[in-house]
Amino acid sequence: MRSLFLILISFLFLFSGCGNKNTTEAAEFFERGNYHFKKREYERAAELFSEALEKVPDFADAFNNRGLCFEKMGQLEKASADYLKAVELDDSFSQAKLNLAASFVHLGKPNQSEDLFKSLENTYADSSQFYDYRGQYYLQKNNPDAAISDFQRSVSLRGPQAETLTNLGYAFYQKREFDEAINSFNKALKIDEDFPYALNNLSAALAQKGEWKEALKYSEKATDENPVQLNFLNTHVLNLVENGELEKASKYHQSTEKLSPKDPYQLRNKAVIEMKSENLLEATAILSGIEETNPEVEYLYYYLGLATQEGTEACRYFKRGAALGDRRSQEAFSTCGN
């Protein structure tokens, strides 16, 4: 889960007496790019920043701002490359460094951002943007306590924002503190009742507490607004299954299977549908395959325990799930007599 707070850099050239034609034209392209960016015309803005770079190839601000355009268009690798180029051209360019650090986090490469965040800590001591980005870094590093501290700092600096509260809720979710997570997600939805990540994550947190009917309401809204978002669809499929709506769950699952045939959560849902259809051997085979590569998948060991026909083996699975903090595995393991 991520939230973006992108800063557009304006640039002022200092001209010498007669000026330089390329520099002058680059400045004009740059300002036109800023204009279109502010109008959310990101493709056109990127073209204009590229025009500026053709005139002045070492124009660090243009690389940074073109990176922002790519980020907005979902082209994260290209955005990261532009931020990196801006930093290489100007090592004192703090905003480009922060954008670069955030891009590594958004690409799932948090280790590459660690030194950048350390170098920027004093510069951005009073920046909510910095704490939002670093909080996301800590989430990826599985350090929810540090993430909570950063997101709470962001809220204290800028006031509550739906994105920050959703990320804060997810940090509590990582700690298995589901009541606190639900509280944060609900606060986010009071600010933006349609914020999709808050809807999806609230649904997942309610499911963790066994409130499947309530969870279904929120996952349905999230998927209605975002019908091709894989994570939202996976949440919704499991909610449908657990609410006894197997036919509808199967229909949604077909969409997730097309979107990502190897996604472990999609495969888990496929196994659960097979299990509910009494195809236990097929379900067990799928779940065992997930265990080999993605043992962290939620509810995996609970469903493996249900699918197996042998009591001792089932309890072994429930014990593993219980150790991971899965409430349903804990409840099932409590009946094993161990």
Side-chain angles (χ1 to χ4, degrees):
M1 185 184 338
R2 64 190 180 93
S3 54
L4 302 180
F5 302 96
L6 303 179
I7 302 297
L8 188 68
I9 301 296
S10 294
F11 187 86
L12 178 64
F13 279 102
L14 298 179
F15 299 106
S16 59
C18 59
N20 177 285
K21 182 179 178 182
N22 282 348
T23 300
T24 302
E25 291 179 350
E28 291 173 353
F29 283 125
F30 185 83
E31 292 307 325
R32 286 170 60 193
N34 284 349
Y35 170 79
H36 285 282
F37 184 96
K38 291 172 183 176
K39 292 182 67 177
R40 300 184 181 181
E41 297 170 353
Y42 304 121
E43 186 172 355
R44 180 57 181 151
E47 292 172 354
L48 290 163
F49 292 133
S50 295
E51 293 276 4
L53 287 165
E54 286 186 14
K55 300 296 180 181
V56 180
D58 60 351
F59 195 168
D61 294 74
F63 275 111
N64 180 74
N65 284 17
R66 192 176 67 174
L68 297 177
C69 295
F70 288 140
E71 182 107 14
K72 285 291 190 180
M73 292 188 289
Q75 300 175 30
L76 302 184
E77 291 282 0
K78 293 174 74 173
S80 188
D82 270 4
Y83 298 144
L84 178 59
K85 186 64 176 178
V87 171
E88 288 174 346
L89 289 168
D90 183 358
D91 187 60
S92 65
F93 198 165
S94 296
Q95 185 61 55
K97 285 185 176 181
L98 183 56
N99 289 340
L100 178 61
S103 75
F104 287 141
V105 172
H106 300 154
L107 287 167
K109 304 174 181 178
N111 290 340
Q112 295 186 40
S113 67
E114 184 173 355
D115 289 341
L116 287 164
F117 282 124
K118 286 181 180 178
S119 71
L120 295 169
E121 190 169 13
N122 292 332
T123 303
Y124 287 103
D126 296 316
S127 166
S128 62
Q129 181 189 46
F130 172 81
Y131 292 108
D132 276 312
Y133 283 153
R134 195 176 66 174
Q136 294 169 45
Y137 158 80
Y138 283 130
L139 285 178
Q140 289 195 17
K141 297 293 287 184
N142 294 310
N143 187 347
D145 287 319
I148 288 168
S149 177
D150 272 4
F151 293 135
Q152 289 176 335
R153 176 64 173 154
S154 174
V155 171
S156 71
L157 287 168
R158 194 165 68 121
Q161 306 292 317
E163 297 93 339
T164 306
L165 290 169
T166 299
N167 285 333
L168 175 61
Y170 187 68
F172 284 120
Y173 189 102
Q174 277 193 347
K175 292 189 68 176
R176 321 299 290 178
E177 295 181 7
F178 299 119
D179 288 333
E180 290 289 346
I182 288 169
N183 182 47
S184 288
F185 298 142
N186 277 323
K187 286 181 179 178
L189 291 172
K190 285 183 179 179
I191 297 171
D192 181 354
E193 63 181 8
D194 296 319
F195 190 58
Y197 292 97
L199 290 168
N200 178 73
N201 293 349
L202 176 57
S203 176
L206 289 166
Q208 288 282 358
K209 290 173 64 67
E211 298 176 22
W212 292 99
K213 186 175 181 179
E214 189 72 7
L216 182 59
K217 292 193 318 185
Y218 292 101
S219 65
E220 187 166 42
K221 188 173 182 181
T223 51
D224 283 348
E225 296 291 330
N226 302 268
V228 295
Q229 225 291 353
L230 180 63
N231 293 340
F232 300 172
L233 287 167
N234 281 336
T235 300
H236 193 47
V237 169
L238 189 63
N239 287 340
L240 287 167
V241 170
E242 292 293 348
N243 277 280
E245 298 187 36
L246 196 59
E247 184 176 347
K248 196 171 181 180
S250 297
K251 181 179 177 180
Y252 275 99
H253 176 259
Q254 290 174 4
S255 298
T256 64
E257 199 166 27
K258 290 178 182 177
L259 284 170
S260 184
K262 296 182 179 180
D263 178 76
Y265 284 87
Q266 174 270 123
L267 290 169
R268 177 206 61 190
N269 289 346
K270 180 178 182 179
V272 177
I273 291 171
E274 293 287 355
M275 187 174 65
K276 297 290 185 179
S277 302
E278 300 185 1
N279 299 322
L280 297 182
L281 290 178
E282 178 67 15
T284 301
I286 295 170
L287 292 168
S288 296
I290 298 170
E291 184 187 20
E292 292 179 3
T293 55
N294 298 92
E296 77 285 352
V297 168
E298 288 188 318
Y299 309 124
L300 171 64
Y301 290 108
Y302 172 73
Y303 289 124
L304 267 168
L306 291 184
T308 186
Q309 297 287 310
E310 203 278 311
T312 301
E313 185 77 355
C315 286
R316 183 174 68 85
Y317 286 130
F318 292 144
K319 184 177 181 180
R320 288 187 183 179
L324 294 173
D326 176 17
R327 176 188 55 83
R328 291 196 293 172
S329 289
Q330 292 170 346
E331 292 175 354
F333 183 63
S334 70
T335 67
C336 287
N338 294 335

